[in-house]
Amino acid sequence: MRSAGRHFLQIPGPTNVPLPILAAIGQPTVDHRGPDFPSLTLNVLEGLGRIFQTSGDIVIYPASGTGAWEAALVNTLSAGDTVLMAETGHFSTLWRIMATRLGLKVEFLPGDWRRGADVGAIESRLAEDRSGTIKAVAIVHNETSTGAVSNVSAIRRALNTAGHPALLMVDTISSLGSIDYRHDEWQVDITVGGSQKGLMLPPGLSFNAISQKARRAAKNARLPRVFWDWEDMIAANAKGYFPYTPATNMLQGLKVALEMLQDEGLPAVFSRHDRAAEATRQCVRHWGLEIWCAEPAEYSSALTAVLVPENQSADALRSTILKQSGVSLGNGLGRLADRVFRVGHLGDFNDASLLGALAAIEAGLLASGMGIRAGGLSKAIAVLNTDGPLQAAAE
Amino acid sequence: MRSAGRHFLQIPGPTNVPLPILAAIGQPTVDHRGPDFPSLTLNVLEGLGRIFQTSGDIVIYPASGTGAWEAALVNTLSAGDTVLMAETGHFSTLWRIMATRLGLKVEFLPGDWRRGADVGAIESRLAEDRSGTIKAVAIVHNETSTGAVSNVSAIRRALNTAGHPALLMVDTISSLGSIDYRHDEWQVDITVGGSQKGLMLPPGLSFNAISQKARRAAKNARLPRVFWDWEDMIAANAKGYFPYTPATNMLQGLKVALEMLQDEGLPAVFSRHDRAAEATRQCVRHWGLEIWCAEPAEYSSALTAVLVPENQSADALRSTILKQSGVSLGNGLGRLADRVFRVGHLGDFNDASLLGALAAIEAGLLASGMGIRAGGLSKAIAVLNTDGPLQAAAE
Amino acid sequence: MRSAGRHFLQIPGPTNVPLPILAAIGQPTVDHRGPDFPSLTLNVLEGLGRIFQTSGDIVIYPASGTGAWEAALVNTLSAGDTVLMAETGHFSTLWRIMATRLGLKVEFLPGDWRRGADVGAIESRLAEDRSGTIKAVAIVHNETSTGAVSNVSAIRRALNTAGHPALLMVDTISSLGSIDYRHDEWQVDITVGGSQKGLMLPPGLSFNAISQKARRAAKNARLPRVFWDWEDMIAANAKGYFPYTPATNMLQGLKVALEMLQDEGLPAVFSRHDRAAEATRQCVRHWGLEIWCAEPAEYSSALTAVLVPENQSADALRSTILKQSGVSLGNGLGRLADRVFRVGHLGDFNDASLLGALAAIEAGLLASGMGIRAGGLSKAIAVLNTDGPLQAAAE
Amino acid sequence: MRSAGRHFLQIPGPTNVPLPILAAIGQPTVDHRGPDFPSLTLNVLEGLGRIFQTSGDIVIYPASGTGAWEAALVNTLSAGDTVLMAETGHFSTLWRIMATRLGLKVEFLPGDWRRGADVGAIESRLAEDRSGTIKAVAIVHNETSTGAVSNVSAIRRALNTAGHPALLMVDTISSLGSIDYRHDEWQVDITVGGSQKGLMLPPGLSFNAISQKARRAAKNARLPRVFWDWEDMIAANAKGYFPYTPATNMLQGLKVALEMLQDEGLPAVFSRHDRAAEATRQCVRHWGLEIWCAEPAEYSSALTAVLVPENQSADALRSTILKQSGVSLGNGLGRLADRVFRVGHLGDFNDASLLGALAAIEAGLLASGMGIRAGGLSKAIAVLNTDGPLQAAAE
């Protein structure tokens, strides 16, 4: 049976794709070797540079985000190389598993999944590593499973302080275009991104932004690669073409997405996410529920994971909310299965859609007898009605 | 500058068009004289019969709703004929003006715009009219300007009680597909409908459902007509064609719209509207604002008009809400200009979108310093969370 | 069963709608009373001025083309007024019937349906009419049923020569945006247009371009009218709004259509149609079939009607071509039923789509055993390959 | 400046995407972990089975076709393994390069790019290889660069005759859904497919159909893989989910594409391609140009590569045709650069669109002064008008 009304895709990605982007994707497929194609390629590469905040190389894969993780590793490393990773949640764990399966050695700094990467531990480990065993440090900027953000700028300073030559790789799949991120300023070597979150596209494209140091490292990296190879891409892209068939219709959508972000302005985009996140948190606190991320300085502006009361099922709650109100929420992943629900507040949204999602959650919590305090919407509204910066309200 | 997020079109029509309907409208234009066209025509005529609850004739105009008003009049009346109308608000007033300009004589039963048509007054007037001067009684079922519903069934009984032969014409432009309406059971002679409200289409189609009595009356009606002529339409439609070019792409959308309504089921559709309306009213009352419709039995399930406090501007409020939250509300029309805002809760919506709209209104009311009581959303949620019928809650 | 491949809608309207226009129509419905709406209205009115080649008033009806015929008549005439019309084919006959049914008196200059209006006969009749009985001359610019174009400029001169005050009304439904047409230069009083031909939109919008003289005439015209009334429209349009709900999604498409025509440039658009028409005619002649329009100077650049051999069925041929190749052709209308097929070469097409349609027709003619000479495509290609103007080739 | 008319994408893929498929792709992105998602996954997997003609496992990658080549290799082989390949053209050469770069040893049976793989040479080489050095035979079914088809069934027989245990890998990227292909019957171990050709989708999905033998081989294959790993996919797919984010909107389109192919019926689809190919070849021969594929038994039904006369530029011709008629043709690849143009006749097309493309090519050849004989269309039409099977006409 049909569900009336428009679905609210409030998972922390894929996000609600704006209709002009869907329309662009739905325009006819073009000739990727034709004379008009290079202007599309060059246009989106330039626009992506503004989003990654880099003037360096960017590679666009016709593949979803997991592929860009693999690309970062196989372009720069050789079997047996050591990578330093930080356990910030489910996705950092998956990246670690990938690295291990690719034949890399991973040192995994333990974490409790409730905060960002431990910068002090990273710094200590790097300081110890006099011989340069560690070839790369790989961090998830925004842990989509937990709603905690790692401090990439501080990690870069840790590398610099230690004088350590390791490459810095950062997964920004769920932060890019939602949370301020600066590839060049933070001297990140490989930034991994995807289309289906802050970029407001369906899944199907992923990205590597690449430093010159990373390109040099790639020359000696021995993991086999063809599909993911940067140099083929960069060479073909220089003329606006691709070494193999690109995902042309997605690129058509990407062009529109980049124009939209440019039109709104990145500072406005980030501020919109910050306010939505704070509104969500105030609402959650009013309900009497616990925000899973334990470190306020590391709260994510892209999503909030919320712990349900003991003996309650987060998944049953999500199912109720979907049926009752047409809102999809993110499930708990890995060890958080059934314990948290995750509210995505990223991509294309406005106050009305955010408030609608929060109200639907409150309705679902009440209908599920979760013993919450009603009235959370008033708190969310108060945050959104705040003029000017939110710093006071954020505490 | 772009506004992020999905626009909420919460005016009382046009309504938010479901994306599958937009997609169907956006499919290529077909040959309206081709061999496949009749199946489309006959399909939508049959589906419309279910919506109007009639087994009689329905005419589809490639024109917006005002045209179907004109069609009802010019097909059945002659210059100088008298029509009995009831002043229920702005749209009944416009229909009266139209009738007058077409050369008809209108008796306009006065009203205060805060309730449905006065059935007693209609009955009295009909009883007086022994000579049958009144040729038609024309009623707006759901007054889109005020949010009050007229009791068509009772008006039919009034006609029957008086034994009066006048035709009964009913404008259901903003009720059809949202509020229970029964063309055959209530012996309505001409029902006027439009595409852009409960039928969830863009504006551009309008309808007359026609009784046999109305068709007989048309034979002697002398107002000139060609475009609006029923008989040309009915004759051509019998074979699945049209006497002149129909709005083919809108018909493609109509087919999908009718399937969606069929799939949800009319009782479920009406109940969804009833619950949304009650949730809205409880919210409004909590805010301390006045529902413009003064008669609870006549509250509209399709929209709620809300009076703003003295000395406040409803239009400034609407502008604030649109800018702040991306929600469009209906303005006050005619004598209600700037005094009320109208919340559309009709067509394609779910709990999340309704709650989002209400929360955005609360945010706007607070931001505008309208002195309301915060917390209306809890009331709306409580209504939507109510199991079973709402009758108790409605009081 | 599905037919593979893209349907070729080669009827003389509705025409193949470009996909960006369909995409614009398929974007969400907006608030027609909202703050952003006037810019859309004013934009399309300005663009239409360029197409009609007028700086005067244009009215946009949310109704298909037949409505704009009715509007031209009811805004300017009174019951019993005389209109001079010329029998150029099926559509002029339909317009005559409409006028008669509206209570007007029509003088119908006879014609054989194989040429444009007889300018000499018009001039004679006007010269006779010393008393000014004739209130309007109403001409179909491009007879969609026959493929013959009337010389509007010459008819204007006839009016001027006779010093006759009659209004000049011209139906350009199937010529506007395809064949050069100049509302102001030719001093036309009311030009009737529609969306679904040269404007490359689906059916659902129609237009009146209106001279000041026509607006003055409207003041004394007594045919009843409300939906079609110009003054309500012009008054509301001045501020970018409409007196009743406009066909908003069609206006979204119209904006894009006007941009496309502007981008290509009207002279290029007309030349494209001229070449396609000449290519079609050369092809038809090669086949040994007769072009229905008997007057080369009046050949339509928008469509070509082709006579099938005696004892053959044009409709059976069209059915074969549709099934075999996916091409829809126009049928013979009125007295031409089953005797001609009509090839639409108007709106959005290029050489490949025109040639594909012609080749499909040749295939169908051969498959139907119509005894034609194969090889017509070579003639069509030769025309399209001609550099520069076509005047020599056209003879 | 805009080009009027719809673009004809007559490259041998990506192909013209049917509008209902584009519309499905343009519907909102859904929750790939939500309760409704498995039905989509299982539906498309089942439909793909019918297309690959297999009841075995199929893996869907959110990546373009080149990725599925890599997947076939990395799932089944280990560094240093030997693969037997046949030089049939540009794409077989690229696959060879890929294999080499992945650390495999390729034996490349030489070819002249004008015919399919040399089955005799394969059989001899396999017979020699008593020690089983060759781990896989990898063949391009339809060489998109040349228009020659390799006989996969005969190659399977060669393997069987030799009693050789090598895996058989076949690239069907440009044949799947266009040319009869039987994964199970021909005992292919890995079939590589893509979305953007016969499946009528944009690029962005690719496939591996996998035999049980291939899955067993994968257990011992040592090339590193994560993104491309079959087992993760097959395990997650069993419940209708994916191990990482799938290209959800493409899957929505795939569902519609598979329904369309099912509705037309695979035999009808193949026959439509066969007839189009024969029509194209007859046309080319009439022009006096040479079909690049030298072996009639191996002519491709999906594309035809045509040699231009000595001293002429195929690329200049393609540019002329694109500008003049809006038709994109495939360029010569690798050693065929500028020497051939490739006409794609695959995916979604009908007689009219094929004939339009051929006519546009004839126009371009004439306009370019290539000294061809005009009139090719008559030959193409004659083929398409042939009732029943084409075997006679094909000689």
Side-chain angles (χ1 to χ4, degrees):
Chain A
M1 210 200 68
R2 118 175 173 91
S3 297
R6 193 181 180 202
H7 181 234
F8 281 55
L9 187 63
Q10 299 308 128
I11 59 176
T15 61
N16 296 290
V17 181
L19 301 182
I21 294 177
L22 287 173
I25 293 170
Q27 285 294 299
T29 299
V30 299
D31 179 6
H32 63 292
R33 301 186 206 267
D36 296 335
F37 199 75
S39 70
L40 173 60
T41 304
L42 300 173
N43 175 295
V44 298
L45 285 173
E46 185 190 336
L48 285 170
R50 290 192 298 269
I51 303 298
F52 282 96
Q53 302 194 41
T54 181
S55 58
D57 295 305
I58 297 176
V59 158
I60 305 173
Y61 293 109
S64 63
T66 297
W69 267 1
E70 187 157 320
L73 300 173
V74 298
N75 272 285
T76 55
L77 300 169
S78 303
D81 279 355
T82 297
V83 184
L84 181 65
M85 289 176 149
E87 181 187 15
T88 51
H90 184 66
F91 288 97
S92 62
T93 303
L94 289 180
W95 204 7
R96 172 212 194 178
I97 293 170
M98 171 184 274
T100 305
R101 288 173 60 182
L102 290 173
L104 302 170
K105 210 175 122 189
V106 178
E107 291 193 20
F108 203 43
L109 296 171
D112 66 357
W113 289 37
R114 302 195 72 163
R115 62 202 80 239
D118 182 338
V119 179
I122 292 170
E123 188 163 351
S124 304
R125 182 62 193 95
L126 292 169
E128 280 171 28
D129 183 41
R130 298 281 160 81
S131 59
T133 306
I134 295 167
K135 299 302 179 201
V137 176
I139 298 295
V140 174
H141 183 217
N142 182 65
E143 243 301 347
T144 322
S145 63
T146 66
V149 174
S150 289
N151 189 335
V152 175
S153 172
I155 294 166
R156 161 48 57 198
R157 282 194 302 274
L159 279 155
N160 291 355
T161 300
H164 197 286
L167 295 169
L168 176 58
M169 300 182 182
V170 182
D171 164 6
T172 66
I173 288 176
S174 63
S175 58
L176 192 74
S178 299
I179 300 172
D180 195 9
Y181 180 81
R182 306 173 182 204
H183 178 85
D184 281 3
E185 183 181 324
W186 299 342
Q187 299 164 254
V188 180
D189 293 300
I190 307 113
T191 299
V192 171
S195 55
Q196 75 273 23
K197 314 261 178 169
L199 286 180
M200 309 180 294
L201 290 158
L205 291 181
S206 56
F207 314 99
N208 277 182
I210 307 162
S211 73
Q212 286 303 310
K213 180 176 165 188
R215 282 187 74 180
R216 283 192 301 273
K219 293 210 169 74
N220 300 313
R222 291 289 157 259
L223 278 173
R225 60 185 182 269
V226 180
F227 187 85
W228 307 117
D229 193 83
W230 290 341
E231 293 302 321
D232 296 350
M233 278 283 193
I234 292 168
N237 283 179
K239 295 179 174 171
Y241 292 101
F242 284 82
Y244 49 80
T245 312
T248 54
N249 289 53
M250 289 290 286
L251 295 175
Q252 296 165 194
L254 178 58
K255 179 168 184 285
V256 175
L258 293 167
E259 287 164 1
M260 282 179 151
L261 289 170
Q262 175 81 344
D263 187 25
E264 186 175 358
L266 273 192
V269 170
F270 298 149
S271 166
R272 178 164 55 81
H273 283 75
D274 292 342
R275 299 171 83 87
E278 177 61 18
T280 300
R281 292 187 297 260
Q282 297 271 0
C283 192
V284 169
R285 284 193 195 108
H286 179 89
W287 292 334
L289 297 181
E290 190 176 348
I291 295 165
W292 175 252
C293 175
E295 182 58 67
E298 297 176 335
Y299 282 153
S300 169
S301 285
L303 78 141
T304 301
V306 180
L307 197 63
V308 294
E310 291 282 343
N311 304 320
Q312 299 281 3
S313 162
D315 289 345
L317 172 69
R318 291 189 313 109
S319 175
T320 294
I321 292 169
L322 177 57
K323 278 186 212 146
Q324 178 172 315
S325 299
V327 176
S328 288
L329 299 172
N331 60 332
L333 294 168
R335 70 163 79 157
L336 297 179
D338 211 22
R339 295 298 305 130
V340 304
F341 62 88
R342 293 174 299 139
V343 186
H345 32 70
L346 76 165
D348 187 50
F349 62 85
N350 56 21
D351 284 7
S353 62
L354 175 71
L355 291 169
L358 294 176
I361 297 168
E362 181 165 320
L365 287 163
L366 290 167
S368 302
M370 289 232 179
I372 63 145
R373 179 162 56 146
L377 268 290
S378 292
K379 302 292 176 167
I381 288 170
V383 171
L384 297 175
N385 270 358
T386 305
D387 285 329
L390 286 180
Q391 56 270 47
E395 298 179 23
Chain B
M1 210 199 69
R2 121 175 170 92
S3 297
R6 187 190 180 203
H7 181 234
F8 281 54
L9 186 64
Q10 300 307 128
I11 59 175
T15 61
N16 296 291
V17 181
L19 301 182
I21 295 178
L22 288 173
I25 293 171
Q27 286 294 297
T29 299
V30 298
D31 179 6
H32 62 292
R33 301 185 206 268
D36 296 336
F37 199 75
S39 69
L40 173 59
T41 304
L42 298 174
N43 176 293
V44 298
L45 285 172
E46 185 190 337
L48 284 170
R50 289 192 299 269
I51 303 298
F52 281 97
Q53 303 193 40
T54 182
S55 58
D57 296 304
I58 297 175
V59 158
I60 305 173
Y61 293 109
S64 63
T66 296
W69 267 1
E70 189 158 319
L73 299 173
V74 299
N75 273 285
T76 54
L77 300 170
S78 304
D81 279 355
T82 296
V83 184
L84 182 65
M85 290 175 147
E87 182 187 15
T88 51
H90 185 66
F91 287 98
S92 62
T93 302
L94 289 179
W95 205 7
R96 170 211 195 178
I97 293 170
M98 171 185 274
T100 304
R101 288 172 61 181
L102 290 173
L104 303 170
K105 212 176 121 189
V106 178
E107 290 193 23
F108 203 46
L109 295 172
D112 67 358
W113 290 37
R114 302 193 73 160
R115 63 201 81 239
D118 182 339
V119 179
I122 292 170
E123 187 163 351
S124 303
R125 183 62 194 93
L126 292 170
E128 278 170 28
D129 183 41
R130 302 279 159 83
S131 58
T133 305
I134 294 166
K135 300 302 179 201
V137 176
I139 299 295
V140 174
H141 183 218
N142 183 63
E143 242 301 347
T144 323
S145 62
T146 67
V149 174
S150 290
N151 189 335
V152 174
S153 173
I155 293 167
R156 162 47 60 197
R157 284 194 300 273
L159 278 155
N160 291 355
T161 300
H164 198 287
L167 296 168
L168 177 57
M169 300 183 182
V170 182
D171 163 8
T172 66
I173 289 176
S174 62
S175 57
L176 192 74
S178 300
I179 300 173
D180 195 8
Y181 180 81
R182 306 174 182 204
H183 178 84
D184 281 2
E185 182 181 325
W186 299 343
Q187 298 164 254
V188 180
D189 293 299
I190 307 114
T191 299
V192 171
S195 56
Q196 76 273 21
K197 313 263 177 166
L199 287 180
M200 310 180 294
L201 291 158
L205 290 181
S206 55
F207 314 99
N208 277 182
I210 306 164
S211 72
Q212 286 302 312
K213 180 176 164 187
R215 281 187 74 180
R216 285 192 300 272
K219 293 210 168 75
N220 300 311
R222 291 288 158 261
L223 278 173
R225 60 185 182 268
V226 179
F227 187 85
W228 307 117
D229 193 83
W230 290 341
E231 294 301 321
D232 296 350
M233 279 283 193
I234 291 169
N237 282 180
K239 296 180 174 169
Y241 292 101
F242 284 83
Y244 49 81
T245 312
T248 53
N249 289 53
M250 288 289 287
L251 295 175
Q252 295 165 194
L254 177 57
K255 180 169 184 286
V256 175
L258 292 167
E259 288 164 1
M260 284 180 151
L261 289 170
Q262 176 81 344
D263 187 25
E264 186 175 358
L266 274 192
V269 171
F270 298 150
S271 166
R272 178 165 54 82
H273 283 75
D274 291 343
R275 297 171 84 89
E278 178 61 18
T280 301
R281 290 188 298 260
Q282 297 271 2
C283 192
V284 169
R285 284 194 195 107
H286 179 89
W287 292 334
L289 296 181
E290 190 175 348
I291 295 165
W292 175 251
C293 176
E295 182 57 64
E298 297 176 335
Y299 283 152
S300 169
S301 284
L303 79 141
T304 301
V306 181
L307 197 63
V308 295
E310 291 281 343
N311 304 319
Q312 299 280 3
S313 163
D315 289 345
L317 172 68
R318 290 188 313 110
S319 174
T320 294
I321 293 168
L322 178 57
K323 277 186 212 145
Q324 180 173 313
S325 300
V327 176
S328 288
L329 299 172
N331 60 333
L333 293 168
R335 72 164 78 156
L336 296 180
D338 212 21
R339 295 298 304 132
V340 304
F341 61 88
R342 293 175 299 140
V343 185
H345 33 70
L346 76 167
D348 187 51
F349 62 86
N350 56 21
D351 284 7
S353 62
L354 175 72
L355 291 169
L358 295 176
I361 296 169
E362 181 165 322
L365 287 163
L366 291 166
S368 301
M370 288 231 180
I372 63 145
R373 180 161 56 144
L377 268 291
S378 292
K379 303 292 175 166
I381 288 169
V383 172
L384 297 175
N385 270 0
T386 304
D387 284 330
L390 286 180
Q391 56 271 47
E395 300 181 20
Chain C
M1 209 199 71
R2 123 179 169 91
S3 298
R6 187 189 181 204
H7 181 233
F8 280 54
L9 186 64
Q10 300 306 127
I11 60 175
T15 61
N16 296 291
V17 181
L19 301 182
I21 294 179
L22 287 174
I25 292 171
Q27 286 293 299
T29 299
V30 298
D31 179 6
H32 62 291
R33 301 184 206 266
D36 295 336
F37 199 75
S39 69
L40 173 60
T41 304
L42 299 173
N43 176 296
V44 297
L45 285 172
E46 186 190 336
L48 285 170
R50 290 192 299 269
I51 303 298
F52 281 97
Q53 303 193 39
T54 182
S55 59
D57 295 305
I58 297 176
V59 158
I60 305 172
Y61 293 109
S64 64
T66 297
W69 267 2
E70 188 158 318
L73 300 173
V74 299
N75 273 285
T76 56
L77 299 169
S78 303
D81 279 356
T82 297
V83 183
L84 182 64
M85 289 176 147
E87 182 187 14
T88 50
H90 185 67
F91 287 97
S92 62
T93 302
L94 288 179
W95 204 7
R96 171 213 195 179
I97 292 170
M98 172 184 274
T100 305
R101 287 173 64 182
L102 290 173
L104 303 170
K105 211 175 123 189
V106 177
E107 290 192 22
F108 203 46
L109 296 171
D112 67 358
W113 289 38
R114 301 193 73 161
R115 62 202 80 240
D118 182 339
V119 179
I122 292 170
E123 186 162 353
S124 304
R125 183 61 193 95
L126 291 169
E128 278 170 30
D129 183 40
R130 299 282 159 81
S131 58
T133 304
I134 294 166
K135 299 303 179 201
V137 176
I139 299 294
V140 174
H141 183 219
N142 182 65
E143 241 302 345
T144 322
S145 62
T146 67
V149 173
S150 289
N151 189 334
V152 175
S153 173
I155 293 167
R156 162 48 59 198
R157 283 194 299 275
L159 278 156
N160 290 354
T161 301
H164 199 287
L167 296 168
L168 177 57
M169 299 181 182
V170 183
D171 164 8
T172 67
I173 288 175
S174 64
S175 58
L176 192 74
S178 299
I179 300 173
D180 195 8
Y181 180 81
R182 307 176 182 203
H183 179 86
D184 281 3
E185 183 180 323
W186 298 342
Q187 298 164 252
V188 180
D189 294 300
I190 306 113
T191 299
V192 171
S195 56
Q196 76 273 24
K197 314 263 177 167
L199 287 181
M200 310 181 294
L201 291 158
L205 291 182
S206 56
F207 314 100
N208 277 183
I210 306 163
S211 73
Q212 285 302 312
K213 181 176 164 186
R215 281 186 73 180
R216 283 191 301 272
K219 293 210 168 73
N220 299 312
R222 291 289 158 259
L223 278 173
R225 59 185 182 269
V226 179
F227 187 86
W228 307 117
D229 193 82
W230 291 341
E231 294 302 321
D232 297 350
M233 279 283 194
I234 293 169
N237 282 180
K239 295 180 174 169
Y241 292 100
F242 284 82
Y244 49 80
T245 311
T248 53
N249 289 53
M250 289 289 287
L251 295 176
Q252 295 166 194
L254 178 57
K255 179 168 185 286
V256 174
L258 293 167
E259 287 164 1
M260 284 180 149
L261 289 171
Q262 175 81 343
D263 186 26
E264 185 175 359
L266 274 191
V269 170
F270 297 148
S271 166
R272 178 164 54 83
H273 284 74
D274 292 344
R275 297 171 84 89
E278 179 59 17
T280 301
R281 290 188 298 260
Q282 298 270 1
C283 191
V284 169
R285 285 194 196 106
H286 179 90
W287 292 334
L289 296 180
E290 190 176 348
I291 295 166
W292 175 250
C293 176
E295 183 58 66
E298 297 176 336
Y299 283 153
S300 170
S301 285
L303 79 142
T304 301
V306 181
L307 198 62
V308 294
E310 292 282 343
N311 303 321
Q312 299 281 3
S313 163
D315 289 345
L317 172 68
R318 292 188 312 111
S319 175
T320 295
I321 293 169
L322 177 57
K323 276 185 214 147
Q324 179 172 312
S325 299
V327 176
S328 289
L329 299 171
N331 60 334
L333 294 168
R335 69 163 79 157
L336 297 178
D338 211 21
R339 295 298 305 132
V340 304
F341 62 87
R342 294 174 297 140
V343 185
H345 32 70
L346 76 166
D348 187 51
F349 62 85
N350 56 21
D351 284 8
S353 61
L354 176 70
L355 291 168
L358 294 175
I361 297 169
E362 181 164 321
L365 287 162
L366 291 166
S368 303
M370 289 232 180
I372 64 145
R373 179 160 58 143
L377 268 291
S378 293
K379 302 293 175 163
I381 288 169
V383 172
L384 297 176
N385 270 359
T386 305
D387 284 330
L390 286 181
Q391 57 271 49
E395 301 186 17
Chain D
M1 209 200 69
R2 119 177 170 92
S3 298
R6 193 183 180 199
H7 181 234
F8 281 53
L9 187 64
Q10 300 306 127
I11 59 176
T15 61
N16 296 290
V17 181
L19 302 183
I21 294 178
L22 287 174
I25 293 171
Q27 286 294 298
T29 299
V30 299
D31 179 7
H32 62 292
R33 301 187 206 266
D36 296 335
F37 199 75
S39 70
L40 173 59
T41 304
L42 299 173
N43 176 295
V44 298
L45 285 172
E46 185 191 338
L48 284 170
R50 289 192 299 269
I51 303 298
F52 282 97
Q53 302 192 40
T54 183
S55 58
D57 295 304
I58 297 175
V59 158
I60 305 172
Y61 293 109
S64 63
T66 296
W69 267 2
E70 189 158 319
L73 300 173
V74 299
N75 273 286
T76 54
L77 300 169
S78 304
D81 279 355
T82 297
V83 183
L84 181 65
M85 289 175 149
E87 181 186 16
T88 51
H90 185 65
F91 288 97
S92 61
T93 304
L94 289 180
W95 203 6
R96 171 213 195 177
I97 293 171
M98 172 185 275
T100 307
R101 288 172 63 181
L102 290 173
L104 303 169
K105 210 174 123 188
V106 178
E107 290 194 23
F108 203 45
L109 296 172
D112 67 358
W113 289 37
R114 302 194 73 162
R115 62 202 80 240
D118 183 339
V119 179
I122 292 169
E123 188 163 350
S124 305
R125 183 60 194 94
L126 292 170
E128 282 170 27
D129 183 41
R130 300 280 160 81
S131 60
T133 306
I134 294 166
K135 299 301 179 204
V137 177
I139 299 295
V140 174
H141 182 217
N142 183 63
E143 242 301 345
T144 322
S145 63
T146 67
V149 174
S150 289
N151 190 336
V152 175
S153 172
I155 293 167
R156 161 49 57 198
R157 283 192 302 273
L159 278 155
N160 291 355
T161 301
H164 198 288
L167 296 168
L168 176 57
M169 300 182 183
V170 183
D171 164 9
T172 67
I173 288 176
S174 63
S175 58
L176 191 74
S178 300
I179 299 172
D180 195 9
Y181 180 80
R182 306 174 182 204
H183 179 85
D184 281 3
E185 183 180 324
W186 299 342
Q187 298 165 254
V188 180
D189 293 300
I190 306 114
T191 299
V192 171
S195 57
Q196 76 273 24
K197 314 261 179 171
L199 287 181
M200 310 180 295
L201 291 159
L205 291 182
S206 55
F207 313 101
N208 277 183
I210 307 162
S211 72
Q212 286 302 312
K213 179 175 164 187
R215 281 186 74 178
R216 284 192 300 273
K219 293 210 168 74
N220 300 312
R222 291 287 158 261
L223 277 173
R225 60 185 182 269
V226 180
F227 187 85
W228 307 117
D229 192 84
W230 291 341
E231 294 301 324
D232 296 349
M233 278 283 193
I234 291 169
N237 282 180
K239 296 181 175 171
Y241 292 100
F242 284 83
Y244 47 81
T245 311
T248 54
N249 289 54
M250 289 291 286
L251 295 176
Q252 295 165 194
L254 177 57
K255 178 168 185 286
V256 175
L258 293 167
E259 287 164 0
M260 284 180 151
L261 289 170
Q262 174 81 344
D263 187 26
E264 187 175 358
L266 273 192
V269 170
F270 298 149
S271 166
R272 179 164 55 82
H273 284 75
D274 291 343
R275 298 171 83 88
E278 178 60 16
T280 300
R281 291 188 297 261
Q282 297 270 3
C283 191
V284 169
R285 285 193 195 106
H286 179 90
W287 292 333
L289 297 181
E290 190 176 348
I291 295 165
W292 175 250
C293 177
E295 183 58 65
E298 297 176 337
Y299 282 153
S300 169
S301 285
L303 79 141
T304 301
V306 181
L307 197 62
V308 295
E310 292 280 344
N311 303 320
Q312 299 282 4
S313 163
D315 289 345
L317 172 69
R318 291 189 312 110
S319 174
T320 294
I321 292 169
L322 177 57
K323 276 185 211 145
Q324 180 173 310
S325 299
V327 176
S328 289
L329 299 171
N331 59 332
L333 294 168
R335 69 164 79 154
L336 297 178
D338 211 22
R339 294 297 305 131
V340 304
F341 61 89
R342 294 175 297 141
V343 185
H345 32 72
L346 76 165
D348 186 52
F349 62 85
N350 57 22
D351 284 7
S353 62
L354 175 72
L355 292 169
L358 294 176
I361 296 170
E362 180 165 322
L365 287 163
L366 291 167
S368 302
M370 289 233 179
I372 63 144
R373 178 161 57 144
L377 269 289
S378 292
K379 303 291 178 168
I381 288 170
V383 172
L384 297 176
N385 270 359
T386 304
D387 284 329
L390 286 180
Q391 58 271 47
E395 300 180 20

